[in-house]
Amino acid sequence: MLTFIGLGLYDERSVTVEGQEALRSADRAFAEFYTSRLIGTDIETLEAYHGTEIEVRDREGVERDPEPILEAAAGGNVAFLTAGDTMISTTHVDLRLRAHERGIDTRVIHGVTAESAAAGLTGLQNYRFGKAVTLPFPYAHGGEGVPDSVLDSVEANRDRGLHTLVYLDIKVGTGPRGPDPDHEEYMTADVAADLLASAWRDELGVVVARAGSPDPVVAADRLSALADRSFGDPLHLLVVPGDLHHVEADALAGLAGAPAELLGE
C-alpha cells in the first residue's frame, strides 16, 4: 500500500487525525518539500511528533527515481508526505499511476490546501476563483518581469469576473546558478505585488501570509502599496480579485483593511 498524505499548511500538528494515524502505522515514510513546506516545523520535529523516521526525497528522487518508494510499497505500507494536499497543492498523479501499474494499492488522505485557506481567510467566495497561476522568480523563467502566461490567465479570469489565486515561487535545491542543495528561497508577497504592478496594472490585491499558522496576515490594498509593506515570514500568497459581491467587499474591508475607494464604495 502507498498512502499519499497531505500534511496541511503550517506545522507538525496541521495533518488530519486520519493522516496522523496512517503515518504512525506506516512501515516506512517518504516526503518531499521542494514544492512546498511546513514553515512552522522541521523534519526532526516532524519525526519526533509522529514517532516515525521520514526520508526526504528531492525532485529527482521522486519524479525520476521513484523506485525506492515503489519497492518499499510493494512489500509493506508506505506513507508519502507533502505539505498542503498531496493531490491539489502538489500533484503526484504520476507516482500513483506507477504504483497502480505495479499492482500496488494506493490511498489518498487529503490535507488543508492554500486554496481553501485563501478563500477562508479573505472572505472571498471559493466558487468565484478562476484558474490559479504560479508567479516565478524572473531568473526561473529565463526572462524579466512576469511571464505572459500569468498575465493572460489573470486577464481571462477578470474578463469572467473571477478571482485569481497567485501562488508564489519556491526554490529549494536550485537557485539562479542551477542546482544547489543549500539553496532555499521563497518569493514574498511584496515582491510579487511589485512585479504585477509593474507588468500589469496597479489594482487591488490581497496578501495572505502564513495561512494555517497562529498568526496569519491578510491585507488588501493597491499592488503598489502592498509592494512597500513587509509581511513577515513565508509562506505568502497573493490574490487578484475579480468582481466583488457586496459580502466579499465587506469582508475585504473588515478583515483585510481594503480602502473603500478600491471596493467601489
Side-chain angles (χ1 to χ4, degrees), residues 26-260:
D27 299 315
R28 290 184 68 182
F30 298 86
E32 68 86 353
F33 296 117
Y34 55 83
T35 52
S36 187
R37 63 162 292 186
L38 302 176
I39 291 295
T41 191
D42 55 32
I43 189 63
E44 292 79 14
T45 303
L46 195 63
E47 289 178 321
Y49 185 80
H50 294 291
T52 303
E53 290 187 7
I54 300 170
E55 180 181 332
V56 178
R57 307 280 288 178
D58 60 15
R59 185 182 294 273
E60 183 171 330
V62 174
E63 298 177 359
R64 297 186 182 181
D65 182 27
E67 192 59 29
I69 301 172
L70 296 171
E71 282 187 2
N77 291 321
V78 169
F80 182 78
L81 314 173
T82 68
D85 185 290
T86 186
M87 290 296 171
I88 296 180
S89 296
T90 304
T91 301
H92 290 298
V93 175
D94 180 71
L95 181 59
R96 191 179 183 196
L97 291 175
R98 288 173 185 257
H100 273 277
E101 291 170 359
R102 296 269 290 267
I104 300 168
D105 290 334
T106 63
R107 178 187 179 198
V108 178
I109 300 177
H110 298 286
V112 178
T113 70
E115 183 177 14
S116 61
L121 287 170
T122 61
L124 297 174
Q125 297 167 1
N126 71 309
Y127 59 85
R128 292 169 59 86
F129 279 77
K131 177 183 177 181
V133 298
T134 297
L135 182 59
F137 289 108
Y139 70 78
H141 67 89
E144 295 183 359
V146 180
D148 289 342
S149 59
V150 172
L151 300 178
D152 290 345
S153 293
V154 173
E155 286 286 2
N157 286 339
R158 295 266 295 191
D159 288 345
R160 299 171 61 197
L162 301 177
H163 315 313
T164 304
L165 178 62
V166 183
Y167 294 104
L168 306 187
D169 203 2
I170 295 173
K171 285 288 175 282
V172 176
T174 185
R177 298 178 179 85
D180 179 354
D182 297 323
H183 188 81
E184 190 171 308
E185 185 178 13
Y186 305 90
M187 183 180 288
T188 56
D190 56 310
V191 171
D194 184 56
L195 285 170
L196 281 174
S198 300
W200 183 58
R201 297 195 297 272
D202 188 15
E203 298 203 9
L204 177 65
V206 188
V207 170
V208 178
R210 295 177 302 284
S213 76
D215 60 344
V217 170
V218 182
D221 209 329
R222 288 195 182 278
L223 291 169
S224 60
L226 297 174
D228 288 334
R229 294 176 58 178
S230 175
F231 300 98
D233 294 335
L235 297 171
H236 298 176
L237 294 169
L238 189 65
V239 179
V240 179
D243 296 339
L244 294 172
H245 184 275
H246 68 87
V247 174
E248 293 179 304
D250 290 346
L252 290 182
L255 301 176

